[in-house]
């Protein structure tokens, strides 16, 4: 839940009073980039990696902000200290700015730092696993963290119907990622995750680093048609670490229960969540 | 230029004071649809076709508004009467609404009617033609008028450099449309425009109806590699009707001047613009 104070341009603003003029290009042209990291007790794990990715997105998108990486780093810590949520999500958001005609790109962008008050994660997701729905979709510009989630938002009623947690993207029969996480399968003791056309997840990077010498890990194409033959599946995300996937729409993964290797991965990786 | 009064939910608001809370899903998830039509002296040509398309977009996007088509029709006329611009653009915009966590879709959408004060079109675009740049891009969900123009906004500096008017989309070697218009080529006296994977332009439909018995018109694939062999090119759009295209980045179309058939088409079609 968006709460407490937020940062907009050069000021702190109560987030319930944080309004954007209707002419903003994020509204008319989806011209915006963002990033999202997690606070736990005043600390922000891997904050530098998130800041690097955000500034890379800005650069590739052609959106400039006046703050330096160090200034944004300090503003984030200032904000979470002021809000004192303990567990929270932190969103950096930069839009193309106010455009009087709705498409010409102005010189000045709009930059926001938002704080979402969180709570302890319900352990049931780790115990029982989650359900995904799927959609034929390739994220445009996967190297940039854009706001292009129209397809996922459009599938919201379908997600509710399936009690699903997220949407698994695939295109031309090849699985890439979910809308908010990276996706992995386990077959015959080996882990495979998509190697390309995906958003480069910070948690994915840390996961791969943690387990590269402990399990065979293959970065290659995941075929949608192969989901019926895999033993286990899971996702990794900033907010929740490793989370088992037990069902994709009506297809049970393995026997539909959380797999034994996924349990070991959670035990070794999820202490930060 | 966005000016005068605008409509938001159930009220008239001065557009310079029309603010949206930061939690809106158009900002975070590009979850919004819109449509755009033109007023000329208090009249809105083909308003019913635009309203039909907007309501079709809403339906496909899963975004509901409380107003009926007739009510939106009346609100549009009420707004342009109050603003009295004479020449203006009218934008209908509906977003997924306010979402406290930035991704869950709420029950209530946000609906806006905006008025952009226009001016007489500079005749130089018809006399000299316009320049386009091009981009390898396929609009996702072309059957819905979404706000997914990130790629076009990102190319804004390149557009300035080429003094270009718009971006021509092509994908796998096949041309679809420009970001704000439909695209046509003329070769050996026949007109060809893309038949699929495009936003269904209202002006395109009227153009095809007007000229179907006067010229050979082919709705088929336009190959990007064939641009060097065509005689003439033009676009059609809501705001400006038929506009000649004389250059695509560094490639001159024909001899780089406005073609003779395009001149005839403009003479017969552009009296409304």
């Amino acid at each position: 839940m968006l709460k407490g104070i937020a940062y907009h341009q050069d000021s702190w603003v109560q987030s319930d009073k944080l309004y954007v003029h209707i002419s903003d290009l994020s509204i008319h042209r989806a011209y915006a980039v963002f990033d999202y990291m997690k606070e736990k007790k005043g600390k922000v794990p891997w904050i530098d990696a998130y800041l690097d990715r955000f500034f890379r997105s800005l650069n590739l998108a052609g959106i400039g902000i006046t703050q330096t990486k160090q200034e944004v780093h300090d503003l984030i810590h200032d904000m979470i200290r002021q809000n004192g949520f303990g567990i929270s999500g932190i969103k950096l958001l930069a839009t193309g700015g106010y455009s009087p005609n709705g498409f010409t790109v102005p010189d000045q962008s709009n930059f926001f730092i938002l704080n979402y008050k969180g709570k302890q994660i319900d352990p049931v997701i780790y115990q029982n696993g989650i359900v995904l729905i799927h959609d034929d979709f390739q994220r445009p510009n996967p190297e940039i963290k854009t706001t292009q989630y129209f397809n996922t938002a459009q599938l919201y009623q379908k997600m509710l119907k399936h009690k699903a947690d997220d949407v698994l993207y695939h295109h031309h029969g090849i699985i890439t990622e979910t809308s908010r996480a990276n996706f992995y399968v386990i077959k015959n003791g080996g882990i495979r995750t998509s190697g390309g056309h995906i958003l480069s997840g910070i948690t994915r990077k840390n996961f791969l680093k943690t387990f590269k010498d402990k399990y065979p890990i293959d970065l290659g194409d995941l075929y949608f048609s192969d989901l019926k033959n895999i033993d286990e599946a899971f996702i990794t995300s900033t907010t929740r670490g490793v989370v088992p996937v037990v069902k994709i729409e009506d297809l049970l993964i393995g026997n539909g229960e959380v797999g034994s290797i996924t349990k070991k991965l959670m035990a070794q990786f999820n202490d930060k969540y």
Side-chain angles (χ1 to χ4, degrees), chain A:
Chain A
M1 291 298 185
L2 182 64
K3 291 266 180 207
I5 57 152
Y7 184 80
H8 177 211
Q9 304 298 60
D10 300 317
S11 309
W12 296 109
V13 189
Q14 283 298 325
S15 57
D16 59 350
K17 296 196 174 61
L18 179 46
Y19 286 85
V20 183
H21 189 255
I22 186 66
S23 64
D24 192 86
L25 283 178
S26 64
I27 300 171
H28 295 270
R29 289 299 196 235
Y31 191 38
V33 297
F34 77 107
D35 221 302
Y36 193 86
M37 57 202 96
K38 186 169 173 167
E39 174 214 356
K40 200 163 177 182
K41 294 179 184 157
K43 298 216 184 311
V44 184
W46 307 299
I47 184 169
D48 291 331
Y50 287 100
L51 286 169
D52 285 348
R53 186 172 66 181
F54 181 63
F55 276 79
R56 196 163 57 241
S57 290
L58 286 171
N59 187 36
L60 290 169
I63 298 175
I65 64 172
T66 56
Q67 293 80 0
T68 65
K69 218 180 269 188
Q70 184 61 48
E71 285 167 344
V72 176
H73 178 282
D74 295 346
L75 287 165
I76 288 170
H77 280 98
D78 195 0
M79 180 181 74
I80 61 176
R81 200 162 40 234
Q82 291 187 68
N83 283 332
F85 295 148
I87 300 174
S88 73
I90 297 150
K91 187 180 263 191
L92 306 175
L93 173 69
T95 78
Y98 295 137
S99 173
N101 65 7
F103 59 89
T104 302
V105 179
D107 289 337
Q108 202 188 340
S109 65
N110 257 317
F111 174 53
F112 305 91
I113 310 177
L114 307 174
N115 206 182
Y116 293 82
K117 187 174 181 180
K119 52 185 180 194
Q120 207 65 43
I121 298 167
D122 185 346
V124 80
I125 63 163
Y126 302 116
Q127 288 155 13
N128 296 353
I130 58 169
V131 178
L132 302 177
I133 62 169
H134 64 86
D135 188 32
D136 186 335
F137 181 67
Q138 168 61 48
R139 185 199 287 273
N141 317 101
E143 72 284 9
I144 311 176
K145 202 163 165 76
T146 67
T147 58
Q148 295 175 87
Y149 293 87
F150 180 90
N151 287 54
T152 306
Q154 198 187 1
L155 292 170
Y156 188 67
Q157 290 305 322
K158 185 177 173 185
M159 280 181 60
L160 291 183
K161 193 184 127 209
H162 285 270
K163 298 186 171 64
D165 186 274
D166 202 348
V167 180
L168 181 65
Y169 297 152
H170 54 93
H171 192 53
H172 295 315
I174 294 173
I175 293 168
T176 50
E177 59 192 318
T178 80
S179 87
R180 293 181 285 131
N182 289 111
F183 181 77
Y184 308 69
V185 301
I186 302 175
K187 191 172 168 181
N188 304 326
I191 299 170
R192 173 175 277 210
T193 189
S194 178
H197 302 292
I198 57 168
L199 182 81
S200 173
I202 307 295
T203 309
R204 175 177 179 273
K205 202 158 82 178
N206 293 316
F207 176 89
L208 296 176
K209 201 172 148 191
T210 304
F211 292 110
K212 72 176 165 26
D213 299 327
K214 294 179 182 151
Y215 292 90
I217 303 183
D218 176 22
L219 306 185
D221 285 341
L222 302 179
Y223 293 96
F224 190 76
S225 60
D226 204 35
L227 286 178
K228 60 184 183 297
N229 306 317
I230 61 172
D231 302 321
E232 306 180 29
F234 62 93
I235 57 169
T236 63
S237 78
T238 292
T239 45
R240 302 182 300 181
V242 173
V243 181
V245 174
V246 294
K247 207 171 160 191
I248 296 169
E249 297 198 5
D250 297 322
L251 177 74
L252 290 183
I253 301 300
N255 61 4
E257 291 177 7
V258 176
S260 59
I261 295 176
T262 307
K263 282 180 185 166
K264 286 181 196 156
L265 297 170
M266 289 193 287
Q268 292 169 75
F269 192 76
N270 282 359
D271 54 323
K272 289 172 211 71
Y273 297 89

